[in-house]
Amino acid sequence: MSPLLTVRGLSRSFGGVAAVQSVDLEVEQGTIRAVIGPNGAGKTTLLDLVTGFTKPDMGTVDFDGHQLVGRSPRDLPSLGLMRTFQSARLVPSLTVRENVMLGAYRFTRARFLSDALRLPRTRREERELRSRADELIGFLDLTRFADSRATDLPAGAQRLVEVARGLAGAPKLLLLDEPAAGLDDSETRELADVLHAVREGGVTMVLIEHNMSLVLAISDQVTVMDAGKVIADDVPSTVREDAAVRKAYLGVAS
Amino acid sequence: MSDYLQSILGGLADGCVYALIALGMSVIYSISRIISLAQGGFVVLAALCAVSLQSGLGISPLATLPIMVVIFSVGMIGVAQIVIQPAAKRATPERLLLVTVGMLQAVGGLLLIGWGNLPYTMPAFTGDAPVKVAGLSLPTQYFWLAGALAVSVLGLWLLLTKTDIGLAMRATASNPGAAALQGIRVDRMRLIAFGLAGAMAALAGTTIVPITFLQFTTVTPYAVAGFIAAVVGGLGSNMGAVTGGLLLGLLQGVFGRYWNADLAQLTAIALLVAVLVIRPQGIFGTPERVRR
Amino acid sequence: MSAMTATRPRARLFGPLGVAAALALSGCSAVAAAEGEAIRIGLIASQTGPGSQLGIGEVRGAELAVEQINADGGVNGQRLELITADDQSNPSQAVLQARKMLGRVDAFVGPSTSGPCKAIGPLAESAQVVNYCLSPGLKPEPGGWQWSASVATHDLTSRLVDYWKSQGITRIGLLTQTDSSGAEGAESTKAAIDAVDGMELAGEATFSPDAVSVTAQLQQIARHEPQALVVWATGAGAGVAFKGMGQVGLDVPVATTDGNLTYAFVDRVQNFLPDPLLIPATRDFWDPAEYPNDEVREIEANYHDAYVAAHGEQPDFGPGVAYDGVHLVAEALERAEGDAAQARAELEKITDFDGVVGTYNFSREDHRGLAEKDVAIVQATKDGFEFIGGVE
């Protein structure tokens, strides 16, 4: 079975500085892949290249049989690829529930006229959308925020809303950009449980993360980046012992 | 007392029209950040089209209403698709304002060519005899006018809060970039907004013309009154647009009892503009909308 | 029934467009022919824009006058040519068009409305070319180069008040639109009421031109129990007022401005016409029986018949003033032997000149030449305008 996501030779430089340098990456179906590395290692740039926010200078991104390079980020939800952001991009004036409902927007088949006339199908869809959103909100322990304006939440909670929104889209692949930043230890543990359960549900994930305990707890495979290059790519236990990794990233931590 | 109330009623009738124009502008603005002054022109265009339909084809005045609503919502989507969206991709907001002013002029010119410099009216939807209530004379058409406004407000509210297209429209209004990332087709949402504004223009024009006479010169005063109502209410706020419109009409009507109509209009506008000094975002506007 | 109550023009959706196009064509040919030995009059009229209702008729009236003058041997044997231009109802366009014509024309006729007239005044002064403005709203300076057409507003209102007094009406309500013509109408009506013993103002209100309804204003006036009402407003404003009268049940005679002396307007408001709707009007709207003498009768018949023959409808307000304007200016140029600079002095000397609008008596002080004697009251009916009376 071929990998769900295959990145080949992906490169991008900004003003002569190579932010991402011929990165290869394969993510197997149903696994969690963590990408770690020090600040400025090129992790978020890699995510931006995969999702079309930044155009690569070179390389290819193959997702579920689709070539992603050259596509607009807004085309990805319909392919089954959702992502979250380091600083959450929620819709400001909508509530948490409404933001999560938006994630499933592409599934609604009702069209304007039936919406305007409030036909039964529309109402049924609306009801289903809402209950699915509430389910996900409960799953991520955000129920107490459901009716708050999304952007009034603390940054950490906003990222969780993004996770819920991403899941609402029933993605094949979910790309998470530092979902645990700003969460305390117990919250992080909860998040680990959630992501675990998500994987059990068959969703493949790529996780960019600083929090090593989270990474080591949940990922199946870890990619380590430094100065735009992949310096290691292995299972968590091996990566933890890798000398280059320890030097580049874990040096102080170990 | 009764003719004091009559002044208020007359003012509110004006206010209903202003409110419908402002509501159309508000819907367009909130979703596409375009101030469409042409909305005032489309109201008069819809009115005169309805008159011609009624007198030319012998259709009953009430039956012209749904016909106009369909024609104008589809027509506005066409106008938005052909003129406004392409312009919006290139022009700055200030230039885009000029585009809509140009459209307003064009509508005025079209009216002059098509209908001449003459006033037009048509019979009321349901009988010409006014209802007498407590010494007040209420043309039945007033009820239709108030109904048109109520239907627009309620329908818009239901659409925006109770349907998923409405959710997508609100998301687009709030942050088009974030909305697009969820797979919402922002351009389509904007077209829907123009379609809604077209429907409102048709509602306003067709419902008001039996009460009054309209001609091409009415285009600009309507655009200005609707714009002031929308800004004072808080650009992009639908409640604000309605409040601003009704307030403007009401103040004009009440002041008109004591002063010359021009002075009354000026005072009403000045009073509302004073609101903007205290609340720059308008009565119902949110500050972030002003900054943006 | 007057001779003027012939066919009403039907409301045609795209009529004005065709007319404008035809006029544009005829304007071009006039310019092309404007070479060689000829006396030339430059006509600036609002053929498009808000003033087009006037301007289109004015061009027709002026063309008719030129045709007739040339058929009668021209001006001192020279051909009279008309160069027309459209000011688009816009003062700056009027100046632009007038400037283009300077040096090519021996006199100006037009523009159609007071704004553009005022705008080209300085040009006429500095170039020393006679300008017969077609708007009654202009108040020409004594000894200046500008003239004003038709009768002044105060002569209209004065004749109206006299007429109502003769009918035993003493209490007059006043409803005016807040534009320049409405303001002048209000002022003149009040002055006319003040000037006549026993007449009083019974209620007064104003409304803006975009008002949806004026029932509140009408009720305010109705409280003063007027026996008659002056509605000084044109177009939609007048329509809104007439409609409102029915709504508040104010059923009294109404008089309105001569700006509403158009068949098209009466056609539009025919279902809401007050009974009666009176308009103080100049001689071209009177009953032939009321004309002072046979000479005038012949002039009027000549004008009306030729106009109806050419256009299939009776002339309304615009054509008459332009027709007279061209005749007056041509007369002055003839007396000045084609010397444009002398035309002013000659025009000021013209007295007892019978036109279709009235009998003109110019002087250095009076550049209008018409007075209250040239006004009578007509009634607007579904079939046109009917002479009512008020002639001395």
Side-chain angles (χ1 to χ4, degrees):
Chain A
M1 189 174 173
S2 64
L4 184 63
L5 181 73
T6 309
V7 173
R8 288 269 174 266
L10 208 56
S11 301
R12 171 72 201 225
S13 49
F14 296 106
V17 180
V20 169
Q21 231 176 325
S22 25
V23 167
D24 295 332
L25 192 71
E26 286 183 358
V27 181
E28 298 294 334
Q29 185 89 46
T31 63
I32 297 182
R33 156 80 63 163
V35 178
I36 61 170
N39 281 330
K43 306 183 298 287
T44 297
T45 305
L46 177 66
L47 215 55
D48 284 350
L49 289 171
V50 168
T51 51
F53 283 87
T54 307
K55 301 269 165 278
D57 297 331
M58 265 186 298
T60 59
V61 178
D62 187 89
F63 168 70
D64 199 24
H66 303 278
Q67 182 49 239
L68 297 192
V69 172
R71 278 185 200 264
S72 156
R74 56 194 62 175
D75 297 339
L76 301 185
S78 62
L79 297 180
L81 195 160
M82 306 289 273
R83 80 168 276 192
T84 70
F85 297 85
Q86 228 170 25
S87 55
R89 300 194 187 179
L90 297 171
V91 177
S93 65
L94 302 185
T95 65
V96 166
R97 179 184 292 113
E98 288 170 338
N99 263 288
V100 174
M101 285 165 75
L102 272 188
Y105 175 73
R106 67 188 177 93
F107 297 119
T108 62
R109 294 194 355 269
R111 285 294 165 262
F112 176 73
L113 206 59
S114 59
D115 266 22
L117 300 174
R118 311 254 314 125
L119 295 180
R121 187 180 70 194
T122 307
R123 271 182 281 182
R124 194 178 59 241
E125 275 189 355
E126 150 86 18
R127 238 186 351 258
E128 282 167 9
L129 203 59
R130 180 175 292 266
S131 67
R132 174 153 173 75
D134 280 340
E135 221 171 276
L136 286 166
I137 288 168
F139 185 50
L140 283 161
D141 201 16
L142 292 166
T143 306
R144 63 190 184 285
F145 296 126
D147 291 309
S148 313
R149 272 170 61 114
T151 45
D152 290 345
L153 268 53
Q158 286 194 34
R159 267 191 297 274
L160 294 183
V161 174
E162 271 202 329
V163 173
R165 185 174 67 178
L167 291 173
K172 293 176 184 139
L173 177 64
L174 182 60
L175 307 177
L176 302 162
D177 198 349
E178 299 199 11
L183 301 186
D184 64 26
D185 283 352
S186 77
E187 286 167 337
T188 306
R189 274 194 298 278
E190 274 173 43
L191 180 65
D193 291 343
V194 163
L195 296 183
H196 219 81
V198 169
R199 188 188 61 175
E200 296 307 303
V203 179
T204 311
M205 277 171 277
V206 171
L207 170 74
I208 288 182
E209 195 42 78
H210 270 300
N211 189 316
M212 277 311 286
S213 59
L214 179 67
V215 166
L216 298 174
I218 67 166
S219 39
D220 300 303
Q221 194 82 6
V222 178
T223 299
V224 186
M225 288 184 72
D226 186 30
K229 286 188 216 159
V230 173
I231 57 169
D233 187 346
D234 218 321
V235 294
S237 54
T238 314
V239 165
R240 189 162 42 180
E241 306 307 321
D242 188 291
V245 175
R246 296 174 75 93
K247 182 164 172 272
Y249 182 55
L250 301 171
V252 255
S254 60
Chain B
M1 188 60 206
S2 90
D3 60 306
Y4 192 80
L5 282 174
Q6 197 76 43
S7 302
I8 291 179
L9 279 171
L12 283 176
D14 283 338
C16 280
V17 184
Y18 301 159
L20 276 166
I21 298 168
L23 194 59
M25 287 181 181
S26 170
V27 169
I28 291 176
Y29 179 80
S30 64
I31 294 202
S32 61
R33 297 284 175 270
I34 293 169
I35 295 174
S36 179
L37 288 176
Q39 188 71 10
F42 289 122
V43 169
V44 183
L45 183 63
L48 297 202
C49 283
V51 170
S52 290
L53 206 61
Q54 186 265 327
S55 62
L57 300 180
I59 297 172
S60 88
L62 183 55
T64 62
L65 184 68
I67 299 174
M68 282 301 129
V69 167
V70 170
I71 292 176
F72 271 72
S73 33
V74 173
M76 274 290 270
I77 289 173
V79 167
Q81 179 104 50
I82 294 162
V83 182
I84 294 176
Q85 299 270 45
K89 294 227 171 8
R90 287 178 209 104
T92 58
E94 301 81 54
R95 294 235 176 112
L96 218 50
L97 188 62
L98 286 183
V99 170
T100 70
V101 170
M103 280 172 56
L104 181 67
Q105 299 289 338
V107 171
L110 186 68
L111 289 168
L112 187 59
I113 291 168
W115 285 269
N117 184 9
L118 288 169
Y120 287 82
T121 190
M122 70 177 176
F125 288 177
T126 45
D128 267 322
V131 179
K132 302 269 182 196
V133 183
L136 289 176
S137 161
L138 292 171
T140 53
Q141 195 67 20
Y142 274 22
F143 298 105
W144 285 101
L145 188 58
L149 181 60
V151 164
S152 299
V153 171
L154 196 70
L156 195 60
W157 180 78
L158 279 175
L159 178 73
L160 289 180
T161 58
K162 302 285 173 196
T163 71
D164 44 62
I165 292 251
L167 178 61
M169 288 179 79
R170 282 187 294 141
T172 307
S174 178
N175 187 335
L181 290 181
Q182 301 309 312
I184 291 170
R185 290 155 90 169
V186 169
D187 279 354
R188 181 171 293 181
M189 295 304 132
R190 291 183 174 152
L191 288 182
I192 291 175
F194 276 96
L196 288 173
M200 283 174 210
L203 271 178
T206 313
T207 325
I208 193 67
V209 73
I211 300 178
T212 186
F213 274 87
L214 291 177
Q215 64 184 23
F216 85 104
T217 44
T218 326
V219 161
T220 307
Y222 272 6
V224 171
F227 175 67
I228 288 169
V231 171
V232 167
L235 253 184
S237 155
N238 297 335
M239 268 320 289
V242 173
T243 310
L246 291 176
L247 213 55
L248 180 60
L250 186 70
L251 291 178
Q252 274 180 28
V254 173
F255 293 160
R257 285 184 57 76
Y258 306 106
W259 303 317
N260 169 300
D262 264 0
L263 187 63
Q265 195 164 28
L266 199 71
T267 315
I269 290 172
L271 208 65
L272 293 183
V273 169
V275 169
L276 294 180
V277 176
I278 303 159
R279 276 182 70 84
Q281 68 271 35
I283 302 172
F284 286 91
T286 50
E288 72 185 332
R289 286 206 181 94
V290 176
R291 281 202 302 273
R292 195 178 288 131
Chain C
M1 207 53 158
S2 114
M4 263 62 64
T5 59
T7 49
R8 259 180 307 117
R10 296 301 320 156
R12 290 156 305 172
L13 258 188
F14 293 98
L17 181 62
V19 170
L23 288 171
L25 287 174
S26 68
C28 288
S29 62
V31 172
E35 305 300 333
E37 290 300 305
I39 298 287
R40 297 186 191 95
I41 291 176
L43 172 67
I44 301 168
S46 304
Q47 295 166 56
T48 55
S52 58
Q53 205 71 49
L54 292 167
I56 291 169
E58 285 163 1
V59 173
R60 290 173 168 186
E63 281 171 346
L64 184 60
V66 169
E67 231 168 77
Q68 293 182 348
I69 290 167
N70 283 331
D72 289 347
V75 178
N76 289 331
Q78 282 178 293
R79 240 185 93 69
L80 181 63
E81 278 177 12
L82 190 68
I83 303 176
T84 59
D86 178 14
D87 69 10
Q88 301 164 19
S89 310
N90 175 337
S92 58
Q93 268 299 318
V95 171
L96 200 72
Q97 298 298 342
R99 197 167 281 147
K100 271 194 206 164
M101 286 182 181
L102 271 185
R104 296 169 61 205
V105 300
D106 300 296
F108 286 117
V109 173
S112 311
T113 52
S114 64
C117 279
K118 283 173 189 152
I120 72 161
L123 210 64
E125 290 294 324
S126 64
Q128 309 216 324
V129 177
V130 164
N131 172 211
Y132 188 86
C133 162
L134 295 175
S135 161
L138 187 77
K139 296 184 179 62
E141 293 287 317
W145 289 86
Q146 281 193 303
W147 263 253
S148 184
S150 196
V151 289
T153 305
H154 61 81
D155 288 325
L156 297 175
T157 56
S158 169
R159 174 51 56 100
L160 178 68
V161 170
D162 284 346
Y163 169 74
W164 268 338
K165 187 175 187 187
S166 76
Q167 301 293 305
I169 287 171
T170 56
R171 301 175 56 78
I172 299 174
L174 178 61
L175 179 66
T176 53
Q177 190 169 312
T178 53
D179 55 13
S180 63
S181 140
E184 197 181 346
E187 203 178 299
S188 302
T189 306
K190 282 188 264 187
I193 290 171
D194 282 348
V196 180
D197 273 346
M199 301 299 279
E200 60 179 311
L201 185 66
E204 184 194 356
T206 57
F207 65 98
S208 66
D210 63 317
V212 162
S213 121
V214 295
T215 48
Q217 285 90 333
L218 285 165
Q219 284 201 332
Q220 250 176 288
I221 293 173
R223 271 192 313 174
H224 296 90
E225 293 170 2
Q227 295 163 302
L229 180 65
V230 172
V231 175
W232 213 268
T234 50
V240 169
F242 298 161
K243 198 170 210 181
M245 289 184 67
Q247 285 166 0
V248 305
L250 184 61
D251 186 18
V252 294
V254 175
T256 188
T257 157
D258 60 344
N260 289 328
L261 272 174
T262 67
Y263 297 95
F265 171 77
V266 175
D267 189 53
R268 290 313 321 159
V269 301
Q270 55 169 312
N271 294 332
F272 305 94
L273 280 180
D275 184 27
L277 176 63
L278 306 176
I279 304 180
T282 48
R283 200 157 71 196
D284 42 338
F285 289 90
W286 299 0
D287 193 309
E290 302 297 330
Y291 293 148
N293 53 50
D294 284 345
E295 208 175 315
V296 169
R297 212 158 283 138
E298 196 189 320
I299 289 168
E300 294 284 355
N302 187 16
Y303 160 69
H304 284 280
D305 295 349
Y307 192 92
V308 172
H311 302 292
E313 60 189 36
Q314 283 288 341
D316 42 30
F317 182 81
V321 289
Y323 181 86
D324 277 3
V326 168
H327 272 291
L328 286 162
V329 167
E331 174 75 14
L333 286 167
E334 179 159 294
R335 292 186 190 183
E337 290 172 349
D339 183 352
Q342 279 301 310
R344 172 176 67 166
E346 293 301 333
L347 195 50
E348 283 174 348
K349 285 183 206 155
I350 291 179
T351 54
D352 285 326
F353 184 97
D354 287 322
V356 298
V357 176
T359 300
Y360 296 84
N361 285 292
F362 291 132
S363 68
R364 191 180 173 282
E365 281 68 38
D366 186 0
H367 277 199
R368 183 183 297 278
L370 299 179
E372 202 178 325
K373 67 172 169 42
D374 298 294
V375 183
I377 307 299
V378 301
Q379 179 180 352
T381 70
K382 290 185 183 190
D383 303 314
F385 301 108
E386 197 174 327
F387 187 87
I388 291 292
V391 177
E392 278 155 19

